[in-house]
Amino acid sequence: MEPALIATRLATAAIGPLLKKLLVSDVPGAGLTGQDPPVRLSSLLSFRGERRSLTEKDVRRLAATLVDRTRRGPGEPPFPADETEAVTDALAAHLLALGDLDMDDVQAVHLGHRALARRLRAAAPAPDGLSSDSVLYLETATEWACRHILESFTRSPSFVARTLVEQTRGQAALAAKLDAVAAANPAPLAEDAAFERRYLAHLARRHGHLTIYGIDLHDSGEDWPLDVAYLSLEAAAGPHPDHPHQEYVTLRADLAPAAHERILLRGQAGSGKSTLVQWLTVAACATPPADGMGYLHGRIPFVLPLRTLTRHGERLPEADRFLSAADCPLTPPDGWADRVLAAGRGLVLVDGIDEIPEAGRGRARDWLRGLLAAYGDGNRWLVTSRPTAVRDDWLARDGFTELTLSPMSPAEVTTFVRRWHRAAGPSAAPYEQQLLDSLRTTEHVAQLATNPLMCGLICALHRDRRGYLPRGRKPLYEAALAMLLTRRDRERGMGDPYGVTLDEAPQIQLVQRLAYWLTLNDRLVMDRSRARALVTEALPALGLSDAPPDRILTHLLHRSGLLREPTADTIAFVHRTFQDYLAAKALVDHWDIGVLVRHATDDRWEDVVRMAVGHGRPREAAEILRELLAAADAAEDRPARTRLVLLAATALAHATEVPPEVREEILRRTEEVVPPRTPDEARELASVGRMVLDLLPGPEGLDESTAHLVVTAASHIVSDAAVPFLARYADHPSLVVRAQLVWAWHRFDPRAYGEDVIARLDPTELRYQAADDDRAAELLRLGLTPESLEIGGAVSTGRVAELLVRCDPRELELQGEGTRLDPAASAGLTRLESLRLSGLAEWRVSELPPRAPLGKLHSTSWPRDDLSGLARHPGLYELRLPAGHRAPSGLWRSLSALPSLRTLTIDIGWLDDFPEGVVLAGVQGMTCVVPPASGGSLERLVKVFPGLRLLGLSLFLSGPFDVSAAAELSDLKAISVVGGGRRVVGAEQLSVRVLSVL
């Protein structure tokens, strides 16, 4: 019989009164006095205790009555008739088991009828030999009996009283436990939590929209929701100055703070630094977090634009003044910022080191170091700057990772253009594909579309001009100004909303005055009163003596599209590039050439100088260029000379007309720094842009070092024109040249670069890199099977398996936290000799390729299983596992089982657990890491590894380290010391060579 039908027969009005006979009705009160203790379940039963009215036989008769009544009715019986007596006995046993349960009625009701039935079935003897139908009936009948019994409990007047008492006692106990937890784990005050909700909502509103310049030409709005507009760009970590040949690593800029607690982010004007700050701020405020941004959940952003904090020359704020200094109108509870940062919950975003005068950057670093000393632990820190505003190691000693925003790739430009046209509305749709075609086929347009600002301007101008774009940067900005200053309002029929009619020319003159003052005074923000004074001073010369200055200024602020108000009493340009363009025009109009040349080595003036050459007439442009070359001659050091020559070469591209002798002189002087002599010079040349490709030599006749530097320079020029140039070097025999060409793949279109360059490289000893799925797919499509392969963390698991199956490499490096060594793919590797696992969150020794002749294994993380499985690889001769962690048990037993082990990296502290009497005499080369808290020495090392020939020491100690014990190693040839070499003592007792790198 179906369970539902059994339940229907049990749920009749006649069943309840029968079951009530099991219970007594007169029970005590709430049990608060000694006379009324808590009521146990057994005392409520009519077949137990002093008020017994039923016997066990009576309970069995009652069970028989229940069974008989539920067998009646139409349809099939619930169980076989010959099992009726056995079912009755079992049901009676379940009911009698009520008396054996150690609980009271309140606890029973809290337990519920199903759980109570399970308790009864567990307490009663198990029925033996019943059919499945009988067992089902018995379970259902017991549950319904429990339901009626519990219903009777709840109807008792004393039950309510006892329940309230139990609840009160339970709540009191819970409150005490919560108080204890709160005391042990102090949480933010309720006032703090309430303020944080208001603060995060304020930040989301303030930073949640992005202004797209020019998008509001017709019926579109200026603001674009940031969660739709934001385009995640790539950031690159360059080589350390001490290791110039180190490879670059790229990652998504908005995910960089997940991997690095402290970041100095460099980027050109308009590259998206401030937009990234906005995005991180909004992402930290979002609930639920955006895709991939969950690492910011619970963090409190502090947005600190330095141009705002220092606009009046104020001292940079301490934590308690972060909000007021950044013009946040909210007032936090006393000490709130200190509590947030002390708890390590902060996201500190310091925007624009380059936007304060150079003389103040040292003070800004001291201010930042003070904050780090007080709140360094746990918080995330991001500092932004233009690339050349501070030197490479400016924050290196403070633990900052330096990243550089990469120029937008062609794919990113395409994505931006498509999003822009969707945001602009249906009227822009016809121009989307036309612009995309222009970006692919028209070089000067593609050269300008390298950052979000320029992409936005190009999109707006292209739509506004019905598919026509001006050539070059100067005409592009001229067109942008015409669009923003006059055509926008005229085409929208705005009239004169402020009672002021201004043509384009006087507006340009006025904003030039503002830009000129800001640039001369190294400012990006000015007081409104200063702006009013400059406008008032300029009006008579423009024939506007009677015009009210306040209305003129308001018109410029609200209608020009060039100015903004960071606060109610300050004015700034919407972007530094507009300021530079207009300041350059004003400098040429005033012919302040001396000002230009004096500031030519200031990174903040580079664009001003270039644009000034573009604004000048032929004679003026020639004079500026000659003065730059003269300044280069007078410079005292080569970097300054090179910078000025390159600046002249860059500016030359902006000039409309230049005398041939000036052009030839600049090209001749440029050839003095081309080809580059060092990696720094190579990257400096690349900053000039595409024109350098016309100066760099081909591979013919170049030595290996020069060819490598030329390729380095060309590979940093992100232009499609660089691909055919680099393809000329694809047949070069040098390994370092071929390695640089492989590294550059991530900067260009995967397919075009793969076909023109990667497919032509000689694979001998060359390590190929598949940074992402696109590059991995190209390797597979091109049919390449490299013997040395590096697979990045952005490659999906399926692609990793495809590459391994196809290539079966001899050398393999897997990178990335989410990357895995697929067991199925690993099982097919038969040639693997060297395996490097970099940053893998999870791997296992058991997943290593069982059939491969593995000789070298390096990993930056410990395997999830033990190391005993290494014994399956008897040819393993080099092993490197991460120091700084406690060694797992069985480490030395596993290592001693490797007969071929010759090179090993260990933490000196691991020797404390080394089994007595075990010697690894076969190890000849070792790197020994000595952490700061280590008390280890070389004595035990000498005993365990008597055959050492080469010993490397990585010292992180603040005190001395004695190496004299190494004199006992008769085969030792050299010791190399990295870090703290001057603190090495006892070296005079050694006959070996000690190499120290400080």
Side-chain angles (χ1 to χ4, degrees), residues 964-986:
S964 59
E968 299 181 23
L969 296 169
S970 57
D971 294 332
L972 191 63
K973 302 300 182 185
I975 299 179
S976 63
V977 182
V978 179
R982 292 177 181 172
R983 292 188 291 275
V984 171
V985 297

Side-chain angles (χ1 to χ4, degrees), residues 949-968:
R949 298 173 60 85
L950 298 174
L951 174 61
L953 296 173
S954 294
L955 300 182
F956 297 90
L957 297 172
S958 57
F961 186 76
D962 190 351
V963 298
S964 59
E968 299 181 23

Side-chain angles (χ1 to χ4, degrees), residues 320-396:
D320 61 344
R321 292 199 305 111
F322 277 178
L323 269 59
S324 60
D327 297 318
C328 176
L330 305 181
T331 302
D334 289 342
W336 169 76
D338 175 77
R339 290 191 291 274
V340 169
L341 294 171
R345 298 194 298 126
L347 175 65
V348 185
L349 305 168
V350 181
D351 190 21
I353 286 289
D354 58 292
E355 296 179 354
I356 59 177
E358 188 170 0
R361 295 174 191 173
R363 291 192 295 274
R365 180 170 57 182
D366 293 339
W367 164 75
L368 184 60
R369 284 175 173 167
L371 293 174
L372 290 169
Y375 306 113
D377 295 337
N379 297 298
R380 291 287 191 271
W381 305 78
L382 176 72
V383 180
T384 72
S385 172
R386 282 197 187 185
T388 56
V390 293
R391 66 177 188 267
D392 285 346
D393 58 348
W394 198 65
L395 288 173

